[in-house]
Amino acid sequence: MTETQNVFSAALEASRQGRPAVLATIVGAKGSTPRGVGSRMLIDFDQGLTGTVGGGCGEGQVIEAAREVLETGEPRIVRVDLTEDLFSWSPAVCGGVFEVLIERI
């Protein structure tokens, strides 16, 4: 099964069990980013994460925004800027910017 199939399978399971979940999708990217446009992650606060939008601090930022989206029901776009990361000396830092659409499903 592909990562996208896993994400949608987890979303379907959450829906069948009546659990709210949040879908995060990269909708824009500039520069070097850990994942490309179209990458998805399902945030199910009862069952965990399925898929990824890049990991690390950027993904943490998306998860925090997902909590707000879950509470309000209002979708939003989060801009994750990796160009001024605290650990920019690390070769693991990509140095790009990406935008993630976060929506409750």
Side-chain angles (χ1 to χ4, degrees):
M1 207 182 282
T2 68
E3 184 173 287
T4 298
Q5 289 170 323
N6 286 335
V7 168
F8 287 117
S9 177
L12 182 59
E13 187 61 27
S15 176
R16 284 183 179 152
Q17 294 185 11
R19 291 190 318 270
V22 178
L23 181 65
T25 306
I26 297 179
V27 295
K30 190 174 189 179
S32 178
T33 59
R35 302 293 300 228
V37 171
S39 295
R40 292 182 174 93
M41 175 174 69
L42 184 78
I43 301 123
D44 179 336
F45 290 102
D46 290 333
Q47 297 295 312
L49 306 175
T50 304
T52 183
V53 293
C57 296
E59 197 159 274
Q61 186 179 339
V62 169
I63 293 167
E64 284 305 310
R67 290 183 197 284
E68 295 172 21
V69 169
L70 188 63
E71 290 175 14
T72 67
E74 294 293 321
R76 64 182 282 205
I77 292 180
V78 171
R79 183 174 188 265
V80 178
D81 186 344
L82 302 174
T83 61
E84 295 183 19
D85 192 281
L86 182 62
F87 299 104
S88 60
W89 51 266
S90 169
V93 174
C94 298
V97 176
F98 59 99
E99 294 179 329
V100 180
L101 171 63
I102 304 171
E103 54 193 333
R104 184 178 170 151
I105 58 168

